[in-house]
């Protein structure tokens, strides 16, 4: 952390806040925060430096658990039970009664956590590889899992009558894990407004749900203003309530990590909380030793450098200069009896890919309402334990190499993009000191592992290999090297069914100058280039791959600043006729295909549905030189852009 000016022992941050009351002018609100070098400004907070413990830990486990587990029907239950026609509304009606009388307030007493054994679980999590643990402290359901000083709806006074956060904290400290808490409270005010509605049809149409009862507004919140519909409310009193409760959480448990489910909430109010969190760490520990992690996806504020970016159910496309984190789950976020769990192989491959790009993986381990784990979850954790026992040295304390990896699988960075089918040809790199680790995401069928990045470079001392070892195997491996790469000959039996991890020593280990992490798209025997959705690089936070008509296409292309690209190999100079398969149910639009030297534009006619794809000719594209070329497909006019679904670009050689 850079040296910052000292401040008084206690800071009072005067903040100009907006108001949800149209007739009231903005007024200053004073928030008391711990004194120290950090002020509630973007400039001050951006001086933050992520501590090494987080960079070294790589893997954390999260308990995303609370009363919403009781119905065993999945995430966002407390909100969706008030939406007539939703599957969770129907589940609630059949199992608990109508939400006009039996709503969320009546589920909370049913959460008793009678088999909750934090010591046993923490021992299992430690063995499974976790080096930090995060307890959910409060979800959008507005129920605090700690002994909250500012909210009667908490786990000590209701439900299990136990301080869940304190129990997790004690277990984490006992087993040597760093301890964090997650808060999802900021979005609660608008998230819970569904409880103010009523059925629109049926025998109870018009009968208000129980969220309209003023006696329970401390749980369901008062009604929001007519224009207060965003992820974060504009209600000024709610901003203050959020600050007091989360400050109480931080002060009571002094966590090593604080997670916010969104960006930094409520402008200066949220910045004040972050400054308080950082200053408190310095006051209590003598150094800045904590992590604040939040999202950067359009809700709230994200200040580069001020926090660790958290990506929900997604990854990064490449190495990031700052540490970051993926949060995902082994199943649904809350217990769901109908949800299929992720296999250990998927978890391991996600972890290795994330670590190679300077990230950490925070994995939610889904608990039953009583606090126990399903047998499948316990088995998955035991498999993780076996993998970490062999491969931990290639994860803990490592840093990224010059490149994150190589292989045929194209990674599209961003939120909600986590389903990749990695192969043994996909290799990820990590380093520790002078040691390089190369981890293949599978076991090669021919027992040969080829690493293109580590080829020999004639006339230089680059990539002088001394030894190659397979983690979990007690003898060095034979290998061969030429300009095409390093080939390592593996033993017959894999130490792990999920990976093949090599420890490589040598001098001046670096990717060869001609290295390409992902091979370009090659032409078919007839010279045609097929640029499909699976081989595209997607640029943006919303655009993503979806399935329509049994085939993948690029969808959710709603934002004109987002675009698509492909890297292709052109064997010889020549011209190609370009066609696109598109659907445009929102209306006609226009696309532009660009290379470094040429641009083609074409109108995309409207279609009757998103499943109706039409073939459109974009024109003729000329390549004047052989080799690798990058093609960008972008909206032609941001102001006139209408969403387009794209299935395929076809480049046909002109004879």
């Amino acid at each position: 952390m850079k040296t910052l000016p000292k401040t008084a022992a206690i800071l009072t941050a005067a903040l100009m806040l907006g108001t949800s009351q149209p007739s009231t002018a903005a007024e200053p609100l004073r928030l008391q925060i711990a004194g120290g070098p950090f002020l509630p400004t973007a400039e001050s907070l951006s001086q933050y430096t992520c501590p090494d413990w987080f960079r070294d830990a790589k893997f954390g486990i999260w308990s995303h658990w609370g009363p919403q587990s009781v119905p065993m029907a999945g995430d966002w239950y407390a909100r969706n039970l008030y939406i007539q026609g939703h599957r969770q509304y129907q589940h609630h009606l059949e199992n608990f009664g109508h939400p006009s009388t039996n709503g969320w307030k009546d589920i909370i007493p049913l959460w008793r956590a009678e088999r909750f054994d934090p010591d046993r679980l923490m021992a299992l999590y430690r063995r499974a590889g976790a080096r930090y643990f995060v307890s959910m402290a409060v979800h959008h359901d507005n129920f605090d899992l700690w002994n909250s000083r500012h909210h009667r709806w908490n786990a000590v006074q209701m439900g299990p009558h136990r301080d869940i956060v304190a129990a997790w904290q004690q277990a984490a400290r006992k087993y040597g894990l760093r301890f964090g808490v997650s808060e999802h409270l900021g979005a609660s005010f608008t998230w819970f407004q569904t409880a103010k509605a009523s059925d629109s049809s049926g025998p109870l149409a018009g009968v208000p749900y129980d969220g309209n009862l003023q006696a329970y507004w401390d749980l369901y919140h008062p009604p929001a203003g007519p224009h207060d519909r965003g992820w974060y409310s504009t209600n000024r009193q709610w901003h203050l309530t959020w600050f007091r409760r989360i400050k109480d959480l931080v002060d009571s448990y002094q966590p090593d990590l604080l997670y916010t489910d969104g960006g930094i909430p409520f402008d200066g109010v949220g910045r004040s909380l972050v400054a308080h969190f950082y200053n408190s760490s310095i006051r209590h520990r003598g150094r800045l030793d904590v992590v604040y992690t939040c999202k950067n996806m359009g809700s709230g504020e994200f200040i580069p450098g001020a926090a660790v970016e958290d990506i929900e159910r997604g990854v990064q496309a490449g190495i990031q200069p700052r540490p970051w984190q993926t949060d995902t789950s082994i199943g649904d976020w809350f217990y769901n009896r109908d949800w299929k769990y992720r296999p250990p192989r998927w978890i391991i491959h996600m972890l290795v890919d994330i670590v190679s790009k300077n990230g950490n993986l925070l994995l939610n381990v889904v608990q039953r309402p009583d606090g126990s784990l399903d047998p499948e979850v316990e088995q998955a954790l035991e498999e993780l334990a076996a993998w970490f026992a062999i491969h931990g040295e290639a994860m803990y304390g490592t840093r990224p190499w010059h490149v994150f990896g190589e292989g045929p699988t194209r990674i599209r960075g961003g939120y909600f993009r986590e389903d990749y089918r990695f192969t043994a040809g996909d290799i990820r790199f990590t380093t520790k000191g002078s040691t390089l680790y190369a981890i293949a995401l599978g076991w090669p069928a021919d027992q040969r592992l080829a690493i293109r990045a580590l080829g020999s470079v004639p006339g230089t001392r680059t990539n002088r290999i001394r030894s190659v070892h397979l983690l979990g195997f007690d003898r060095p491996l034979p290998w061969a090297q030429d300009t095409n790469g390093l080939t390592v000959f593996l033993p017959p039996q894999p130490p792990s069914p999920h990976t093949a991890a090599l420890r490589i020593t040598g001098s001046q280990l670096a990717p060869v100058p001609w290295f390409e992490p992902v091979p370009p798209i090659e032409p078919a025997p007839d010279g045609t280039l097929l640029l499909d959705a699976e081989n595209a690089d997607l640029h943006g936070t919303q655009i993503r791959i979806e399935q329509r008509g049994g085939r993948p296409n690029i969808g959710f292309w709603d934002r004109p600043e987002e675009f698509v690209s492909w890297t292709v190999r052109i064997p010889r100079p020549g011209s190609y006729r370009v066609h696109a398969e598109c659907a445009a149910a929102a209306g006609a639009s226009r696309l532009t295909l660009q290379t470094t030297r040429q641009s083609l534009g074409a109108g995309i006619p409207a279609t009757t549905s998103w499943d109706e794809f039409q073939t459109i000719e974009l024109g003729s594209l000329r390549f004047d030189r052989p080799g690798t070329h990058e093609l960008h497909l972008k909206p032609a006019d941001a102001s006139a852009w209408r969403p387009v679904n794209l299935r395929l670009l076809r480049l046909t050689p002109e004879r």
Side-chain angles (χ1 to χ4, degrees):
M1 184 186 73
K2 298 177 183 177
T3 302
L4 298 174
K6 295 292 183 181
T7 65
I10 295 292
L11 281 174
T12 300
L15 306 168
M16 295 298 293
L17 302 177
T19 173
S20 62
Q21 305 300 322
S23 61
T24 305
E27 298 176 358
L29 178 66
R30 298 186 179 277
L31 305 174
Q32 193 176 67
I33 66 174
F38 286 99
L39 301 173
T41 66
E43 180 182 13
S44 179
L45 294 176
S46 65
Q47 305 302 304
Y48 168 79
T49 300
C50 182
D52 282 342
W53 74 257
F54 183 79
R55 301 194 68 192
D56 293 341
K58 306 304 181 188
F59 182 50
I61 283 179
W62 190 7
S63 173
H64 195 287
W65 177 58
Q68 286 183 91
S69 303
V70 169
M72 299 192 287
D75 196 22
W76 282 31
Y77 186 91
R79 182 181 195 273
N80 295 337
L81 74 88
Y82 295 104
I83 300 176
Q84 188 179 24
H86 196 282
R87 64 171 179 83
Q88 289 171 320
Y89 167 94
Q90 190 61 34
H91 178 92
H92 193 81
L93 200 64
E94 295 171 358
N95 292 275
F96 303 104
H98 192 267
S100 62
T101 55
N102 294 74
W104 178 238
K105 69 182 187 313
D106 303 290
I107 296 292
I108 288 171
L110 304 179
W111 183 49
R112 302 185 182 94
E114 56 268 31
R115 295 180 62 196
F116 175 45
D117 186 349
D119 265 25
R120 177 185 177 277
L121 292 176
M122 202 63 66
L124 175 59
Y125 297 160
R126 171 79 190 195
R127 192 166 67 252
R131 291 300 176 263
Y132 61 106
F133 175 85
V134 176
S135 165
M136 189 174 72
V138 54
H139 199 252
H140 312 314
D141 63 356
N142 202 23
F143 185 79
D144 292 347
L145 272 65
W146 77 95
N147 193 15
S148 178
R149 293 193 302 133
H150 302 292
H151 194 49
R152 70 182 175 110
W153 297 89
N154 68 69
V156 175
Q157 296 188 38
M158 301 177 185
H161 295 282
R162 183 175 182 182
D163 190 328
I164 301 297
V165 172
W168 280 127
Q169 182 192 48
Q170 292 164 11
R173 299 287 188 245
K174 177 179 178 179
Y175 288 95
L177 277 70
R178 291 283 186 152
F179 177 71
V181 290
S182 71
E183 68 86 9
H184 312 242
L185 183 63
S188 179
F189 193 92
T190 47
W191 185 88
F192 231 155
Q193 292 299 314
T194 55
K196 302 288 187 290
S198 62
D199 286 0
S200 59
S201 62
L204 295 177
V207 177
Y209 297 150
D210 68 342
N212 290 282
L213 298 172
Q214 192 167 354
Y216 298 106
W217 280 3
D218 56 346
L219 176 64
Y220 297 116
H221 310 298
H227 304 293
D228 191 5
R229 295 289 183 268
W231 182 251
Y232 286 144
S233 172
T234 59
N235 184 291
R236 184 176 51 184
Q237 184 58 44
W238 176 245
H239 300 173
L240 180 59
T241 297
W242 174 87
F243 179 86
R244 286 172 174 164
R245 282 167 60 184
I246 303 307
K247 182 175 181 288
D248 174 48
L249 174 68
V250 167
D251 292 346
S252 298
Y253 302 94
Q254 292 295 318
D256 301 302
L257 179 148
L258 173 64
Y259 162 105
T260 287
D261 192 20
I264 301 174
F266 315 135
D267 302 315
V269 175
R271 291 195 298 271
S272 294
L273 192 283
V274 178
H276 176 76
F277 183 45
Y278 291 165
N279 288 339
S280 294
S281 170
I282 296 169
R283 291 182 67 197
H284 289 280
R285 308 178 188 205
R287 66 190 187 282
L288 181 57
D289 195 39
V290 296
V291 173
Y292 176 67
T293 178
C294 64
K295 293 180 167 64
N296 180 20
M297 57 179 301
S299 60
E301 184 178 25
F302 186 84
I303 304 169
V308 170
E309 182 180 6
D310 179 272
I311 297 182
E312 183 174 351
R313 292 193 184 270
V315 297
Q316 297 279 14
I319 297 172
Q320 301 302 300
R322 297 187 180 98
W324 57 281
Q325 176 180 266
T326 286
D327 75 276
T328 191
S329 180
I330 198 172
D332 201 346
W333 285 115
F334 284 104
Y335 191 88
N336 188 334
R337 67 179 74 196
D338 299 321
W339 197 281
K340 185 178 180 181
Y341 291 120
R342 295 287 195 176
R345 182 181 185 89
W346 180 88
I347 300 168
I348 290 166
H349 289 177
M350 279 281 289
L351 172 72
V352 173
D353 179 71
I354 289 165
V355 170
S356 74
K357 298 169 182 173
N358 205 26
N360 286 20
L361 173 61
L362 178 62
L363 179 72
N364 176 45
V365 173
V366 184
Q367 289 169 255
R368 295 180 63 86
D370 63 11
S372 64
L373 305 180
D374 278 343
E376 306 97 296
V377 175
E378 298 233 9
Q379 179 59 38
L381 292 170
E382 293 295 351
E383 288 195 44
L384 283 178
W387 186 85
F388 266 107
I390 295 172
H391 299 88
E393 69 170 90
M395 295 286 102
Y396 302 129
T398 61
R399 297 293 183 265
W401 194 43
H402 302 283
V403 294
F404 70 86
E406 61 180 71
T409 303
R410 282 174 163 76
I411 301 299
R412 304 172 190 88
Y415 294 74
F416 305 104
R417 297 173 187 165
E418 61 179 2
D419 290 306
Y420 297 102
R421 298 176 182 176
F422 293 110
T423 70
D426 291 301
I427 299 169
R428 297 293 180 262
F429 301 113
T430 63
T431 62
K432 189 183 295 179
S434 60
T435 301
L436 173 65
Y437 296 96
I439 306 107
L441 303 182
W443 187 263
D446 61 0
Q447 298 170 23
R448 296 187 179 195
L449 191 56
I451 306 174
R452 292 180 292 107
L454 289 175
S456 58
V457 184
T460 73
R461 298 187 62 81
T462 301
N463 290 337
R464 296 294 179 92
I465 307 296
R466 285 197 296 271
S467 67
V468 180
H469 286 80
L470 175 70
L471 301 188
F473 188 70
D474 59 1
R475 295 189 300 276
L477 300 179
W479 51 271
Q481 187 184 35
D482 58 25
T483 56
N484 293 320
L486 172 69
T487 300
V488 180
F489 303 94
L490 302 175
Q493 296 300 320
S496 166
H498 309 302
T499 57
L502 304 178
R503 183 196 308 116
I504 301 170
T505 61
S507 61
Q508 298 187 29
L509 301 179
V512 294
W514 51 89
F515 172 71
E516 296 170 331
V518 179
I521 299 169
E522 300 282 352
D526 65 356
T528 300
L529 285 159
L530 298 178
L531 313 185
D532 61 14
E534 294 288 357
N535 289 317
D537 292 316
L538 307 182
H539 304 268
T541 60
Q542 182 165 307
I543 185 172
R544 61 181 184 264
I545 304 299
E546 61 173 350
Q547 294 285 331
R548 287 196 174 272
R551 293 177 60 184
N553 69 267
I554 298 166
F556 297 90
W557 197 352
D558 300 342
R559 298 175 179 174
E561 69 272 16
E562 301 187 348
F563 66 97
V564 187
S565 68
W566 295 266
T567 303
V568 301
R569 190 184 303 282
I570 302 298
R572 62 188 65 84
S575 297
Y576 291 77
R577 184 64 56 179
V578 183
H579 293 85
E581 294 181 15
C582 299
S589 198
R590 190 170 181 83
L591 286 167
T592 298
L593 182 65
Q594 300 173 342
T595 67
T596 55
R597 300 192 174 202
Q598 190 178 350
S599 178
L600 297 178
I604 308 300
T607 57
T608 58
S609 75
W610 291 115
D611 294 309
E612 180 194 349
F613 285 82
Q614 294 187 9
T615 300
I616 311 300
E617 183 172 331
L618 275 67
S620 181
L621 197 61
R622 174 76 186 177
F623 296 96
D624 294 326
R625 61 172 178 82
T628 300
H629 295 261
E630 192 165 297
L631 280 66
H632 290 195
L633 190 66
K634 298 183 175 182
D637 182 356
S639 63
W641 174 248
R642 298 292 182 272
V644 168
N645 279 6
L646 178 74
R647 180 179 285 168
L648 180 72
L649 277 187
R650 183 188 301 271
L651 279 63
T652 306
E654 294 181 332
R655 306 301 182 188

